[in-house]
Amino acid sequence: MGKRKSRGGLSGLSQFVLHAFKQDAAANDGEPVVEDQRRPSKRQKTSPVKDGQREEGRVAEWVENYDASGLVKHYTHASEVPKDLQKYFAQRERYFSRYSVPPGCLLDEEGWYSVTPELVADQIAERCRCDTILDAFCGVGGNAIAFAKTCQRVIALDTSPTRLALARHNAQIYGVADRIEFILSDYISFAKTYTALPHTQRARNIDVVFLSPPWGGPSYLSGLSDTPPLGGEEEHPSYSLQSIQPIHGSELFELSRHITPNIAYYLPRNTRLEEIGALLELPSEKARFDELEHVEVEEEWMGSKLKALTCYFGGLVAGQEDMF
């Protein structure tokens, strides 16, 4: 399944990525893995998963080895919660509607302020409906769980073994853990390794990449901008893509486009729109409007509050499905 010895073998992360993909894909049906050359359908239908159950005939079973209850505390009352997390705890069921379903959803400190609210995650997942999606920074699993409801397969990466364990635990509560590959890896190394593999060695093509990188913690609303607010009209200074971690937001986007043109980029609500537009290549002077690639920026609201922006590229944009 790897390269012939005369051409050199795979080692390190390359071997890990190749082995993880092929082992998982082969385990699904016991047959040799054959790459499907057909373009996957963006609107491929999958049965919705509700109340911790799977489609008829497939009931998700709780795997004790994946129970992460001992890693962090499951808060049940505000008196147990550190002061700096109490405002997030008050919204716990917005983050996970099944938060209190035994043994309870788990979040570490970073997870409390970075997890995507469930309704927003579900909206993004519907837009990203596909065969295989890569969640590049999965955290405690909010988006990965939503993607598992609309996609055939989810690849979820994180650099923290604790958060990865919490994500798997939470996915079990929603009954979708068996649709998600949890991989301990930093996205930058993973992406470079994946794109370096010959197409014939990729047992699983990635159709969509979801980027929700660290914004810089709760202080992201302070922005990183040389341009002050005009006349006090802005609630917060504008946010620059240079504040994205672990690399500049534009570099992160370009790296991801080597995997697939179909990118969903989850960004702070105060991100500079001109920087988002500049992510796409400048068109030639002779290009017609209908030949230009567009980005679609969706505002994510919870009640009367704007929470974030989701920027869709490639075939995820209405009218550009042919890029999928």
Side-chain angles (χ1 to χ4, degrees), residues 172-231:
Q172 282 210 107
I173 291 177
Y174 280 80
V176 297
D178 60 331
R179 279 190 179 175
I180 307 174
E181 295 177 52
F182 295 94
I183 299 178
L184 180 64
S185 172
D186 75 276
Y187 173 63
I188 309 303
S189 298
F190 183 96
K192 291 180 178 179
T193 299
Y194 178 85
T195 55
L197 289 173
H199 284 278
T200 55
Q201 294 292 324
R202 299 178 188 175
R204 189 184 297 282
N205 283 329
I206 295 172
D207 305 309
V208 176
V209 171
F210 175 69
L211 298 174
S212 180
W215 297 344
S219 62
Y220 75 88
L221 286 174
S222 64
L224 180 57
S225 172
D226 297 327
T227 306
L230 299 176

Side-chain angles (χ1 to χ4, degrees), residues 40-70:
S41 171
K42 175 186 174 185
R43 294 297 173 185
Q44 185 167 3
K45 297 297 182 182
T46 60
S47 300
V49 180
K50 298 180 180 179
D51 298 327
Q53 299 296 316
R54 293 297 303 272
E55 55 264 40
E56 185 177 357
R58 295 190 65 199
V59 178
E61 295 182 0
W62 185 264
V63 180
E64 292 295 337
N65 288 344
Y66 297 153
D67 188 329
S69 298

Side-chain angles (χ1 to χ4, degrees), residues 2 26 69 111 147 180 217 266 301 305:
S69 298
F147 291 137
I180 307 174
Y266 191 69
W301 291 79
K305 292 187 177 180

Side-chain angles (χ1 to χ4, degrees), residues 60-261:
E61 295 182 0
W62 185 264
V63 180
E64 292 295 337
N65 288 344
Y66 297 153
D67 188 329
S69 298
L71 287 180
V72 298
K73 183 175 178 59
H74 173 76
Y75 300 121
T76 59
H77 192 273
S79 62
E80 305 170 331
V81 184
K83 185 176 180 180
D84 58 335
L85 296 180
Q86 288 192 1
K87 69 175 183 179
Y88 303 107
F89 175 74
Q91 304 180 68
R92 58 195 178 280
E93 292 190 352
R94 284 190 173 186
Y95 300 140
F96 290 108
S97 63
R98 297 179 61 81
Y99 177 84
S100 299
V101 174
C105 291
L106 299 174
L107 301 87
D108 63 352
E109 182 175 356
E110 181 173 324
W112 276 109
Y113 61 74
S114 63
V115 67
T116 305
E118 186 170 312
L119 289 178
V120 174
D122 286 344
Q123 162 67 14
I124 296 171
E126 183 58 39
R127 289 287 304 266
C128 293
R129 183 182 291 271
C130 66
D131 182 4
T132 300
I133 187 168
L134 171 62
D135 185 351
F137 305 88
C138 82
V140 295
N143 289 102
I145 290 169
F147 291 137
K149 302 173 187 177
T150 63
C151 302
Q152 290 295 316
R153 202 65 184 160
V154 182
I155 302 167
L157 307 182
D158 206 275
T159 58
S160 166
T162 297
R163 281 193 294 278
L164 211 61
L166 299 182
R168 191 194 298 269
H169 172 100
N170 295 334
Q172 282 210 107
I173 291 177
Y174 280 80
V176 297
D178 60 331
R179 279 190 179 175
I180 307 174
E181 295 177 52
F182 295 94
I183 299 178
L184 180 64
S185 172
D186 75 276
Y187 173 63
I188 309 303
S189 298
F190 183 96
K192 291 180 178 179
T193 299
Y194 178 85
T195 55
L197 289 173
H199 284 278
T200 55
Q201 294 292 324
R202 299 178 188 175
R204 189 184 297 282
N205 283 329
I206 295 172
D207 305 309
V208 176
V209 171
F210 175 69
L211 298 174
S212 180
W215 297 344
S219 62
Y220 75 88
L221 286 174
S222 64
L224 180 57
S225 172
D226 297 327
T227 306
L230 299 176
E233 295 179 359
E234 294 183 11
E235 183 183 0
H236 300 285
S238 59
Y239 182 90
S240 173
L241 293 179
Q242 66 180 301
S243 298
I244 291 291
Q245 301 171 3
I247 60 176
H248 194 294
S250 62
E251 295 177 33
L252 184 66
F253 176 79
E254 175 143 1
L255 176 64
S256 303
R257 291 277 279 195
H258 289 297
I259 297 176
T260 175

